[in-house]
Amino acid sequence: MSFKAEYIWIDGTEPTAKLRSKTRVLADGAELPIWGFDGSSTNQADGSSSDRVLKPVFSCPDPIRGGDSVLVLCEVLNIDMTPHSSNTRAALVEVAEKYAGQESWFGIEQEYTFFKEGRPLGFPIGGFPAPQGGYYCGVGADEVFGREIVEKHLDHCIAAGLAVSGINAEVMPGQWEFQIGPAGPVEASDHMWIARWLLYRTAEDFNVGATLDAKPVKGDWNGAGAHTNFSTKAMREGYDPIITACEALAANALEHVKHYGAGIEERLTGLHETAPWNEFSYGVSDRGASVRIPWQVEVEKKGYIEDRRPNANVDPYLVTRLIVSTCCSALEKAGQV
């Protein structure tokens, strides 16, 4: 007997990396071996020295093929087994291990937009639908578009054993969100990449595309973000560490923003529930702030914060590494661990 293993990796496309995958047939009971690919076709090598290595780092059941088939997330390595320059996971693992004692948790809200024939689902040919307002968490064929894909994607994520925690329709027609977490920084990021792959693959069966573009429709329409919820053990037990984390993010605001996804200036304008990309603020229950402290966190004096700045197209390995490094180092310095 044999089984199919879908090897999935993140390529070197800039400014936003793409997912790639290919299938290997393995004997029943076989370990997942390292594999290779043509890096010159994925913006990860020159043609004169094109071999790159796929190192399996996470696997889960393949809910599309079923049976014993698996999805295999891989890190990209050079042939000397060092991390490739496009491999952002390796740096996250190092930071996550350094601050493992603080028990960081993440919940990432992944927004995305369905497109078909060059326009978002729900947009009429050559025009625009009714203004946004009724689409968010809406119901009914006049306000919700693509639900059958979303439900199938959710089923696939659950069957794969991912830490998916919910879905909802978003503010613009054809725009949706799913949430991954709570989970540790590496787990949340790995699960997010697999969930993204499943999103694209599920939509493919409906002849629909899904985009993480931060501003898929110009004008008076909400952009697409990946709001990132974060806490440490100390934050989940007290309020002072929450303020310390917010202040640390403030001190490193521009360094974070430049790694929070391509096109961030188009999305973080100060409108459509965003703060300007070049200004930092935090506040309780404020969706117009860079970082929101949920109202119940202030009431209970413990909990988590929501960094509202990351784009939908952000690399989860980057955003989790930056937040852990910035906040955990500040908490450690303050003795709030």
Side-chain angles (χ1 to χ4, degrees), residues 63-64 146-159 167 198-199 201-203 205-206:
I64 295 176
R147 190 185 294 277
E148 67 278 13
I149 311 173
V150 173
E151 293 288 348
K152 179 61 70 174
H153 173 248
L154 178 60
D155 289 344
H156 285 336
C157 287
I158 293 171
I167 57 173
L198 282 170
L199 174 65
R201 179 60 186 81
T202 304
D205 286 343
F206 293 84

Side-chain angles (χ1 to χ4, degrees), residues 1 11 22-23 30 66 70 75 79 95 118 122-123 131 140 143 149 162 164 192 235 269 272 278 286 297 326:
M1 297 294 290
D11 76 0
K22 60 177 182 172
T23 306
V70 293
E75 283 190 18
I79 57 174
V95 170
F123 275 56
E143 292 187 335
I149 311 173
L162 302 183
V164 64
M192 179 57 75
M235 293 166 67
T269 61
H272 305 111
N278 57 351
D286 186 357
V297 171
T326 294

